[in-house]
Amino acid sequence: MAPRKDNETVIGFLIRRIGQALIVLFLVTVATLGLVHLFPGGPVRALLGDRATPYEIAYYDKLYGFNQSFFVQYLKWVDQLLHGNLGYSAKLNLNVSAEIAQDLPKTIVLVLLGTVVSLLFGIPLGVYQAVKRNSVADYVLTGISFLGYSTPTFFLGIVLVDWFAVDVHIFPPFAPQYTSVASILGDPRALVLPVVTYAFLLYALWSRYMRSSVLDNLVQDYVRTARAKGASERRVIWKHVFRNSLVSIVTLLGLSLPTLVGGAILIEAVFNYPGMGLAFYQAALNVDYQTLLGFTVLATVATILGNLLADVGYAMLDPRVRY
Amino acid sequence: MAMEAQAIAATDAELGLELGTAPRGMFRRAWEVFAENKLALAGVAFVVFILLFCFVGPHIYVTNQVDTNLINTLCPPSSSNLLGCDELGYDQLGRLMVGGQTSLEVGLAAAVVSVLFGTLYGAISGFAGGFVDSVMMRVVDAGLSLPSLMVIIILSVIFHPTPTVIIFIIAVFYWFGVARLVRGETLALRNREYVQAVKVIGGRPMRSVIRHIVPNAIGTIIVQGTFAVADSILTLSVLGYLTLGVAPPATDWGSMLSGGLTYIQGGNYWWLIYPPGVLIILTCISFNFIGDALRDAFETRLQRR
Amino acid sequence: MFRNRRRPRLARVAVAGAAALLAVGIAACSSSSSPSSNTSSSSTPSSTAAAVAGGNATVALPAGVTLNWIWPFIPLTSANEYNTEGFEEYMYRPLYEFGNNGDSVSVNYPLSLANQPTYSDGGKTVTISMKGWKWSNGETVNANDVVFWLNMMEAEKANYYGYTPGLLPDNLASYSATGPDTVVLHLKSAVSSIWFTYNQLAEITPMPEAWDVSSASAAAGSGGCTTDSAKDKWAKCDAVFNFLTTQAKNVKTYATNPVWQVVDGPWKLSSFSTASAGPVTSFVPNPDYSGAPKAKLASFTYYAYTDDTTEYTALKTGQIDVGYIPSADLPPNSGSSVLPSVNPLGSGYNLQPAYQYGIFYMVINFNNPTIGPAFKQLYVRQALQDVVDQPGIDKAVYRGYAYPTSGGVPTQPKSQWVPSVQNENDGQGPYAFSVSTAKSLLTSHGWKEVGGVMTCESAGTASNECGAGVTAGTKLSLTMDYATGVQAFQEEVAVYKSDATQAGIAINLVPQSFNTIIGETTPCSPGPKCTWDILNFGGWNFNGPGFEPTGEPLFETGASSNPGSYTDSNEDKLINETHTSSSISVFDQYATYTAQQLPFIWLPNAYAVQAVNSKLANVTFNPLFTWLPEYWNFTK
């Protein structure tokens, strides 16, 4: 994250950021392609399985261009990318863009809902904790949010399924099994357990940050000034402190955009909800390099966008930073 | 030389920082704040307990953790097996101790490696500034672009996951965050008056880094390190769940948990599931409490400046 | 097809690409026929209950499986038994069908598109006469459809998964349609009728003229592949191949593309998606199916799952009619029956065992520079086999739902191929589990335990010395690369390591992803790069494209799925004899020798326990993966 320098124009800012973004994209994709080539036997052997005769291996090496140098392969892939083609996964018999179109909406639903739920609880409780610092409530809430930090997601998910779906049939044992977003959202009962599991970890994040951010702000000069001027405590907190504390949350929100690409893999595995995370895991196990590269690009773009959004939000919310 | 040293000492004194005693005074104040935090103290107590449990325990409660014992598979808790047996006949309580050794070792080592490397990288980058800083941070950005789990999975699939390799794999994803934070601290600190003053007087840059920047950033570094331990233990458990963990007969809490979870619907094998899960949670939460209290402690000190 | 460990407990697992399975004659039968039982020896109860027409049966796919290829001419990248027997064959029947709605592993002429082939000219000429069944677009399944397939194989060898250099179509001197319903093949050399039918003709799936096109909505046959030849280097077939491949790559249109709607099997595709969870594929009956029986269900639907636990939860909550119980969730099997004594799903489901017609093993590297010479000694292999506690692992790891592999021939279901030697020692074969035997084998050949690891002390070729090429000081310390991903597998290797250690064999376990190990399975010549010791990643199922349990893809010198480079001239000779002779005693010699020689180290073979809705009758789990849902029906 690099806020705008003084006397830099908006255009200049954008150019600088785009330049940085391209460098990052380059580094990440080279690294991914390099990693793929570290698999013993190469990607073709993994693709064809152990039945492949040398005849077939040679044929496919040529077909997919694996017999060319790393440099040439990378350039070919870049060329393909610039033509808008994210690649074709032979293992899945799907275009990578079709894979993404199929999996991304589902992950977005899960991550968005989980984020919203965790924010709804995290922000107010974080403020409350800061105001009532070191009280019993503060300790208890701290304990709960730390529980969120410390519980393995898959453990929580499976245990919840076992208690609330199998032993007692309150919720279904899986996330919604539909493919369209509308149908998924139309089955809220099935969304409860996965969203709760996902939100539990995030809640910890928001409430801790909110708490420390509010605490930081409470000792600032402008708060003392506002109090001296006679503003009520509530006004001080909600009008001044809260707004400034939101800055850190906005930053974090922006930075968490990449979790849309592969962050929710454990929830997806436990609740039979195949999204981007599981797709990536399968691609890694299968050495499905086209998918790996495509997802990597997507994740990087998401990060860059996320950083940008975070900066913009930061600028809009923090009165000290003005463009 | 002596004159230079005297001049520097003078500047430091004016600013309230004593050259020789700065670190010690800082730690003493931090400790005071830390000790106020009951949760953190509880965390320390638990960490001590778990270290004893894992490393001293096997000498007291001796079990065979190498040979499988197919007659005893899944035995329920009894007087000879306090927490029952797992699916290959190993005593579960003994296995928790041995598994804990791996989890703790990997967690601590990964944290140390990532924090050391990240600190050096971040400090150098921040202090150098300019083009060097830009390039170095682009690499960090690249690393932070990928969701950490993705990187870890790819690396675990390529390289054999022995404990040493896992340490480095986890450290690889963690050092990016540390580097960025330390670089931020460095940037903030190098603009401070006393560092500027050193420059003006003509002191060497490395001196500034070592004498002023690192000690003042050390709060952040320690805090990050503590959180890193908790995160590394969790990551190791995730790797175990994805069956990318350590090879038998070695084990860790995550692999034990993952193995136990396959039996969750086949009968009441609670001793396979809850003990490793609870230990992971308690250990991580303890380190998190400690880290949080440390952060409060160091930040308070900073705020008083 | 090759069988990987990822989903071992499922009837539908395992991909054994057995392109060239040698068939061995059955002496008990007449020279030209092999028993094909069409009568359903179904073990489902309630087949006497009143049948109800209609209904939608929901079927669980094994965890992690996605169907993704519809065209029977399937490349290696997509070849697995789900795509072939579990998907394509419902719609596009192969020329000859194998297996039945029971546990037969023989050819099934009533369900085939052609009558039994006749072999003449001493086994050098094969005549196939088609039955005249119909495609759904009115075409007849005729001789041209067979020639179309054979031409396509000639044109695009590398793109058909079943191709092995030297075998079909390379072993054909010529072939042609001599009449509307007759195809004659002239072979380059005489073959055994059984082998050729089971392993070569089995690879053929007739294709309709409607597919002989190189662009959409072109006239049927305009592609010209059926009449193409080597003269133009099969250019026309290449064009048709490209067109059909493009269609096959467009998975979204599988259920709507007119190309794929031309079917000759009992089912048609009604919906298709590549999602990895939820309902993914639905079939409805094909009213123009010429064979029998006709489908009684209104439809059936596949459901996909991301892992075993979620599939089992679906079973427990009654969401699917046909599924499997992961072995971790089965009650321990006392051993008297193959099924659990208590049904964990209650009375709503009937349980059935589902065997896979295959073998499981780990591969040792005969070309390893340091330990290869030791592996070449039979007594060393014997010791390695003697420390595999197959009965113990079956009981502990697989809860009793597994049986030993004892040689190169699958022992379940019982068949005439199994040599008596494989049934010894309660099914363990010639080498039963015994740590003491392993130890004494080694010590009597000049090995001594040094620091817990057997080390060769007396190098040499005498009968009490280590053996040719084994240098003094060689330690039996072996690294085993095994495939991660399956909990039971991880437990199995842990047990093996523990038992081997007691005999002085040190095993260092290295977990790798399945595909990483596949990368290592290229047979390597002796040298510094050939350093793996043991690979443990799966087994082999004799379920397509060939169905006879012979050793050509596995044990012959230079075979593509012989990663350890096992080579033995007698084995090669015996394998080749089964190519040309239909005598059971010839096959028996090959099978017995293989079981005794241990080219691989055999491992336990798990079977799945399937659960079927008690209201759904006539569901069976054929070991060859031949699923015939047209036999299924709901009951009152």
Side-chain angles (χ1 to χ4, degrees), chain C residues 36-47:
Chain C
S36 73
S37 73
N38 189 22
T39 51
S40 161
S41 55
S42 154
S43 46
T44 18
S46 80
S47 13

Side-chain angles (χ1 to χ4, degrees), chain A residues 103-168:
Chain A
D103 297 333
L104 189 58
K106 303 177 75 165
T107 304
I108 289 180
V109 166
L110 176 66
V111 170
L112 268 182
L113 283 176
T115 309
V116 165
V117 167
S118 59
L119 283 171
L120 280 175
F121 284 91
I123 293 184
L125 286 175
V127 174
Y128 178 74
Q129 274 191 268
V131 168
K132 304 272 189 214
R133 183 174 164 207
N134 286 340
S135 66
V136 171
D138 184 28
Y139 277 122
V140 166
L141 285 172
T142 300
I144 293 179
S145 58
F146 275 39
L147 210 56
Y149 274 144
S150 317
T151 311
T153 326
F154 61 92
F155 179 62
L156 179 65
I158 293 182
V159 164
L160 282 180
V161 167
D162 199 49
W163 290 351
F164 297 110
V166 177
D167 287 348
V168 186

Side-chain angles (χ1 to χ4, degrees), chain A residues 39-42 45-57 59-60 63-64 88 90-95 98 102-103 106 158 161 165-166 169 172-174 177-179 268-274 278 281-282 284-287, chain C residues 2 6 16-19 68-69 75-78 156-165 248-249 251-252 254 274-279 304-307 310 313-314 316-317 319 513 515-516 518-523 537 540 560-561 563:
Chain A
F39 282 95
R45 185 84 181 164
L47 192 62
L48 300 180
D50 91 315
R51 268 214 71 246
T53 58
Y55 180 85
E56 275 136 346
I57 293 181
Y59 178 85
Y60 277 92
L63 186 67
Y64 289 121
Y88 163 75
K91 199 76 182 183
L92 299 176
N93 193 26
L94 271 182
N95 281 327
Q102 185 177 282
D103 297 333
K106 303 177 75 165
I158 293 182
V161 167
V166 177
H169 301 307
F174 316 121
Q177 298 286 290
Y178 312 102
T179 27
E268 293 173 8
V270 169
F271 289 96
N272 198 37
Y273 188 67
L278 266 187
Y281 175 58
Q282 282 302 317
L285 289 182
N286 290 334
V287 199
Chain C
F2 170 72
R6 203 183 303 245
N68 59 16
W69 191 269
L76 266 177
T77 51
S78 307
E156 299 283 343
K157 290 178 189 172
N159 282 309
Y160 180 64
Y161 87 108
Y163 173 66
T164 304
K249 285 189 178 181
V251 289
K252 288 206 189 327
Y254 276 3
T274 47
S276 337
Y305 296 94
T306 52
D307 88 20
T310 43
T313 311
K316 280 180 89 161
T317 48
Q319 293 182 7
S513 85
N515 282 288
T516 310
I518 290 298
E520 293 175 1
T521 55
T522 327
F537 57 99
W540 191 268
S560 54
S561 297

Side-chain angles (χ1 to χ4, degrees), chain C residues 402-610:
Chain C
Y403 57 95
T405 301
S406 50
V409 178
T411 49
Q412 288 283 359
K414 314 234 179 304
S415 68
Q416 64 278 356
W417 312 123
V418 182
S420 51
V421 70
Q422 280 193 233
N423 288 328
E424 289 171 11
N425 288 312
D426 226 0
Q428 291 184 75
Y431 310 114
F433 170 61
S434 164
V435 172
S436 52
T437 311
K439 252 185 146 150
S440 63
L441 272 174
L442 292 169
T443 47
S444 64
H445 280 89
W447 296 75
K448 192 152 168 239
E449 215 169 310
V450 174
V453 182
M454 284 288 183
T455 315
C456 174
E457 289 232 311
S458 345
T461 51
S463 59
N464 65 341
E465 292 175 332
C466 299
V470 185
T471 54
T474 306
K475 284 181 173 306
L476 268 187
S477 172
L478 311 170
T479 303
M480 182 198 297
D481 293 355
Y482 71 95
T484 53
V486 180
Q487 175 70 15
F489 200 39
Q490 188 151 319
E491 294 169 14
E492 191 181 286
V493 300
V495 173
Y496 183 66
K497 176 184 164 109
S498 176
D499 290 328
T501 310
Q502 290 171 25
I505 305 174
I507 306 274
N508 175 28
L509 295 174
V510 176
Q512 307 247 30
S513 85
F514 175 72
N515 282 288
T516 310
I517 298 194
I518 290 298
E520 293 175 1
T521 55
T522 327
C524 54
S525 1
K529 287 206 168 155
C530 203
T531 49
W532 59 270
D533 295 334
I534 308 180
L535 292 181
N536 192 349
F537 57 99
W540 191 268
N541 268 3
F542 298 97
N543 63 2
F547 297 90
E548 208 55 56
T550 55
E552 215 227 28
L554 301 173
F555 312 126
E556 197 166 30
T557 302
S560 54
S561 297
N562 180 359
S565 310
Y566 170 73
T567 171
D568 180 302
S569 52
N570 196 28
E571 176 86 9
D572 291 347
K573 173 169 148 293
L574 290 173
I575 291 177
N576 281 324
E577 279 173 12
T578 60
H579 259 301
T580 50
S581 162
S582 296
S583 144
I584 187 85
S585 56
V586 168
F587 181 82
D588 197 74
Q589 279 181 18
Y590 147 76
T592 307
Y593 188 71
T594 306
Q596 289 168 338
Q597 283 297 304
L598 293 175
F600 298 157
I601 307 297
W602 316 118
L603 289 176
N605 203 335
Y607 59 88
V609 174
Q610 296 274 25

Side-chain angles (χ1 to χ4, degrees), chain C residues 318-338:
Chain C
Q319 293 182 7
I320 38 176
D321 296 318
V322 181
Y324 60 94
I325 305 182
S327 75
D329 299 313
L330 287 166
N333 190 356
S334 50
S336 47
S337 131
V338 294

Side-chain angles (χ1 to χ4, degrees), chain B residues 40-63:
Chain B
L41 291 176
V44 171
F46 185 80
V47 169
V48 169
F49 162 73
I50 201 75
L51 284 171
L52 288 173
F53 174 78
C54 293
F55 291 95
V56 176
H59 297 291
I60 305 175
Y61 182 77
V62 182
T63 57

Side-chain angles (χ1 to χ4, degrees), chain C residues 169-187:
Chain C
D170 298 340
N171 51 8
L172 299 177
S174 68
Y175 56 90
S176 59
T178 56
D181 289 320
T182 318
V183 184
V184 175
L185 312 177
H186 294 287
L187 305 174

